[in-house]
Amino acid sequence: MSLRLALVGCGGVARGSHLPGWEKVEDLEFVAMCDKDRARADEFARKYDCPAYYDVATMLAEAKPDLVDVCTRDPDHDTPTIQCLEAGVPAMVEKPMYAAAGQYNVAEADVGHALAMYRAARDNNTPLFMNYNYRFSPYAQRLKEMIEAGELGQPAYMHCVTHLACWSHTIDLIRFFNGDVVELAARVSGPEEARTRSASLRFANGSVGTLVGTTQRGWQHDLLRIEYAGTKGYTVMRDIAGGLEYYPGEQRERTLWLRSHDAPRNGFQITFDGSTAAFAAFVGQGKASAAATGLDGLREMEIDAGIFVAAAEDKWLNLPERFPDNYE
Ligand SMILES: NC(=O)c1ccc[n+]([C@@H]2O[C@H](COP(=O)([O-])OP(=O)(O)OC[C@H]3O[C@@H](n4cnc5c(N)ncnc54)[C@H](O)[C@@H]3O)[C@@H](O)[C@H]2O)c1
């Protein structure tokens, strides 16, 4: 039996990135295209030869999807996601989990919305996935394998810089590679709408890190760089498709993994293909994967919002103490 997919939010990322991913999943049937903008829903429904819906409740009741891909904007993530989860339908939602003022300005109050989404999944025993598609970059996967195989030794430090366009993805990758952040201190500068921010991090595994987010990086070059160091050597991941460098502690030579014709952003669609395939495989076949969950989304929000809190309050911020409801 094929999986019945519904999509909510017929906008840019759905058209350009999610649907090309869903088109590649075998045994998948499009059963609904939903948008409160009727013209958008109608256009997508015509293209995918399925019914259009203009509200999520009606869509869930009539189309009866097995899984829903929520591609609404940052301040519109929570309501449709919670509707799906309360109806017992697994959902995947775009990042960041919730941001009233958009992804460059995740506020402390936004964390409560993310918590409500996480709880809707937990209390209804229904899977919630985050579309942290950068996890599916071939180089992110390679680095994760090296860390898990112990090739880099014990975690030592991370040193990361990113364009704000990739901000929540980079925070998610930091956690993907090195686990939870328990404490951070931060400073911000620049314009209110896109503040450059710099944070110092302490991880649960005892290692430390730095993280800078800014709009002051040209689109032609790496939007993000993540340096992960262990006791046996360090690595540099350049954007999602700019390659992975490995500098072993005991040798002069470094290793560079770089596929032919790669450029920093060339692999963008591969990452969405990985994310949609992982969600489908989990719902259809119960296959565990590297995909981010609602809990990962919630933890990303704590760091994201916590950086502004730590800067404003001029102190080291302990995340489990600041967000105790998230740890019950
Ligand atoms: N993962 C990535 O790399 C990546 C890349 C680009 C964008 N994004 C994220 O994708 C999300 C969507 O961005 P976009 O540019 O496609 O937005 P968009 O504005 O083009 O599309 C969003 C659509 O959702 C619809 N909508 C809003 N609330 C709704 C509701 N309750 N029910 C039905 N439809 C509803 C709107 O009418 C709109 O058509 C954002 O959260 C953005 O951060 C992620």
Side-chain angles (χ1 to χ4, degrees):
M1 269 222 323
S2 56
L3 274 181
R4 298 168 59 78
L5 172 82
L7 184 133
V8 179
C10 303
V13 83
R15 182 197 302 276
S17 304
H18 285 238
L19 285 162
W22 289 119
E23 286 168 16
K24 297 183 190 93
V25 176
E26 284 176 14
D27 294 327
L28 183 115
E29 187 188 343
F30 295 99
V31 296
M33 294 291 155
C34 178
D35 200 298
K36 58 189 186 185
D37 179 325
R38 287 176 169 252
R40 287 186 168 201
D42 290 344
E43 185 206 330
F44 275 48
R46 267 195 305 279
K47 177 162 182 206
Y48 287 92
D49 194 21
C50 64
Y53 290 93
Y54 315 116
D55 76 274
V56 174
T58 311
M59 182 277 285
L60 289 169
E62 293 184 6
K64 302 201 184 322
D66 296 319
L67 66 173
V68 179
D69 185 10
V70 180
C71 295
T72 53
R73 286 208 161 211
D74 309 339
D76 303 319
H77 286 166
D78 57 342
T79 306
T81 303
I82 290 172
Q83 283 176 291
C84 294
L85 297 169
E86 286 182 344
V89 182
M92 177 168 86
V93 64
E94 261 300 348
K95 44 48 59 176
M97 214 161 173
Y98 183 87
Q103 61 168 345
Y104 289 8
N105 283 299
V106 170
E108 190 168 16
D110 295 334
V111 180
H113 291 257
L115 178 61
M117 295 162 77
Y118 164 73
R119 282 183 172 159
R122 185 195 63 188
D123 298 347
N124 293 287
N125 199 19
T126 301
L128 170 59
F129 280 81
M130 292 296 306
N131 185 45
Y132 278 120
N133 47 295
Y134 285 30
R135 289 185 178 207
F136 294 95
S137 146
Y139 304 112
Q141 298 269 313
R142 176 84 189 99
L143 176 52
K144 179 76 171 168
E145 279 166 18
M146 290 174 78
I147 293 168
E148 288 189 342
E151 289 173 44
L152 297 167
Q154 294 303 309
Y157 70 85
M158 292 192 77
H159 180 52
C160 315
V161 58
T162 181
H163 192 288
L164 287 181
C166 313
W167 178 236
S168 53
H169 287 294
T170 301
I171 296 174
D172 177 66
L173 284 176
I174 286 173
R175 290 191 59 259
F176 185 48
F177 297 135
N178 208 26
D180 280 331
V181 171
V182 284
E183 211 179 13
L184 57 85
R187 286 287 185 258
V188 298
S189 71
E192 273 296 302
E193 66 282 4
R195 282 169 289 179
T196 290
R197 70 256 354 222
S198 170
S200 202
L201 314 171
R202 184 173 71 79
F203 292 87
N205 65 18
S207 67
V208 293
T210 59
L211 167 63
V212 173
T214 181
T215 52
Q216 307 308 311
R217 284 176 86 80
W219 285 90
Q220 295 78 4
H221 307 295
D222 303 340
L223 290 183
L224 63 103
R225 276 182 194 234
I226 294 181
E227 187 170 321
Y228 174 97
T231 49
K232 290 186 186 167
Y234 72 92
T235 53
V236 180
M237 180 181 150
R238 291 186 37 220
D239 212 314
I240 47 180
L244 181 68
E245 297 165 32
Y246 173 37
Y247 298 79
E250 305 293 329
Q251 290 164 229
R252 263 184 87 78
E253 294 79 15
R254 67 165 179 165
T255 304
L256 167 65
W257 288 278
L258 186 64
R259 297 168 312 159
S260 307
H261 311 298
D262 261 358
R265 296 259 103 196
N266 272 359
F268 202 40
Q269 188 56 41
I270 295 174
T271 67
F272 284 93
D273 294 350
S275 200
T276 47
F279 184 36
F282 182 85
V283 177
Q285 300 145 39
K287 265 196 195 164
S289 75
T293 63
L295 186 60
D296 291 318
L298 187 60
R299 295 282 178 262
E300 186 281 325
M301 291 283 298
E302 292 167 15
I303 298 168
D304 211 330
I307 284 173
F308 290 131
V309 174
E313 298 184 3
D314 191 17
K315 66 178 189 191
W316 277 90
L317 190 78
N318 183 296
L319 296 173
E321 281 172 14
R322 184 71 176 208
F323 300 103
D325 294 350
N326 296 5
Y327 290 79
E328 36 170 63

